[in-house]
Amino acid sequence: MNPAKRLEIFRRFKEANPHPTTELEYSTPFELLIAVLLSAQATDVGVNKSTRRLYPVANTPQQILDLGLDELKTYISTIGLYNTKAKNVMATCQILVDQYGGEVPHSREALEALPGVGRKTANVVLNTAFGEPTMAVDTHIFRVANRTKIAPGKNVDEVEQKLLKFVPREYLHDAHHWLILHGRYTCVARKPKCWNCIINDLCEYKPKTPAPAGA
């Protein structure tokens, strides 16, 4: 895909959605960190249901530590892998209290050292909470980048590096939100909704899905 096509793709994404953000609900960097940690192999909708109950009761590292592991589990038990996630949340909260005064650190190295926090989670926090132009590649972004040929790669690291290189600089901060939303609602896994796609004419996916009868 050439640079002119990529530029027009992201220009259209911005025109359609000028201020994209995560669908996870949060009001502080800490709430975002915990929501993203809980969202691994779970839906944002499911995580939001749990955090809507949890955050009014405990939304700081110390408050969650005071809650205790067993009580925390009652709030997140509907989320997949909640036992492991609960332990990671508690361990992360302890580190934040002990080493960072209860604040979320701004560095990638510090974030990735927290239990249950990998590169993708760190990228989301750095981008969404702290405004850094990072690229958090999830299954949606990996699919869209490869299917459209915006930034094809064999694994998430390769796709991340290509997107950081190829996405026009002025669109880089919001790019991962646009790509996630596009993959979640339009360029879906089984049958992409090509007939209802704002970048249909620019996308290099050949077997475009025709509109269903009556669409």
Side-chain angles (χ1 to χ4, degrees), residues 61-81:
Q62 188 60 59
Q63 286 174 350
I64 287 181
L65 289 173
D66 292 343
L67 204 61
L69 180 63
D70 291 339
E71 187 68 14
L72 174 62
K73 286 181 182 180
T74 67
Y75 286 96
I76 66 170
S77 60
T78 55
I79 298 174
L81 307 174

Side-chain angles (χ1 to χ4, degrees), residues 92-170:
T92 285
C93 288
Q94 193 67 61
I95 291 170
L96 293 179
V97 167
D98 291 346
Q99 297 182 25
Y100 301 103
E103 298 296 319
V104 176
H106 288 213
S107 84
R108 175 186 299 283
E109 294 72 25
L111 285 168
E112 289 187 21
L114 297 171
V117 177
R119 184 175 180 85
K120 187 181 79 171
T121 298
N123 278 338
V124 172
V125 173
L126 289 169
N127 178 280
T128 306
F130 301 131
E132 295 191 19
T134 57
M135 189 64 61
V137 179
D138 68 351
T139 54
H140 296 301
I141 291 184
F142 185 77
R143 179 175 66 255
V144 171
N146 276 288
R147 185 183 273 164
T148 62
K149 303 295 191 289
I150 289 172
K154 293 177 183 153
N155 54 56
V156 293
D157 291 336
E158 191 176 337
V159 168
E160 178 184 342
Q161 293 310 311
K162 284 191 175 182
L163 285 168
L164 290 171
K165 179 181 178 182
F166 292 148
V167 174
R169 187 62 45 184
E170 65 266 38

Side-chain angles (χ1 to χ4, degrees), residues 15-69:
E15 184 177 56
N17 185 3
H19 304 291
T21 189
T22 178
E23 292 188 318
L24 291 168
E25 296 170 1
Y26 74 99
S27 59
T28 66
F30 175 72
E31 287 186 1
L32 177 65
L33 171 65
I34 297 306
V36 179
L37 194 156
L38 294 174
S39 72
Q41 298 180 52
T43 66
D44 288 359
V45 171
V47 172
N48 289 338
K49 283 180 182 175
S50 292
T51 57
R52 279 177 206 150
R53 295 172 55 236
L54 172 64
Y55 289 160
V57 176
N59 71 337
T60 69
Q62 188 60 59
Q63 286 174 350
I64 287 181
L65 289 173
D66 292 343
L67 204 61
L69 180 63

Side-chain angles (χ1 to χ4, degrees), residues 154-199:
K154 293 177 183 153
N155 54 56
V156 293
D157 291 336
E158 191 176 337
V159 168
E160 178 184 342
Q161 293 310 311
K162 284 191 175 182
L163 285 168
L164 290 171
K165 179 181 178 182
F166 292 148
V167 174
R169 187 62 45 184
E170 65 266 38
Y171 297 116
L172 190 54
H173 177 263
D174 292 326
H176 96 265
H177 293 303
W178 287 318
L179 292 170
I180 286 171
L181 293 169
H182 192 64
R184 189 171 285 166
Y185 298 111
T186 303
C187 198
V188 295
R190 291 192 178 177
K191 272 196 176 179
K193 300 173 184 177
C194 301
W195 71 91
N196 194 35
C197 175
I198 62 171
I199 62 166

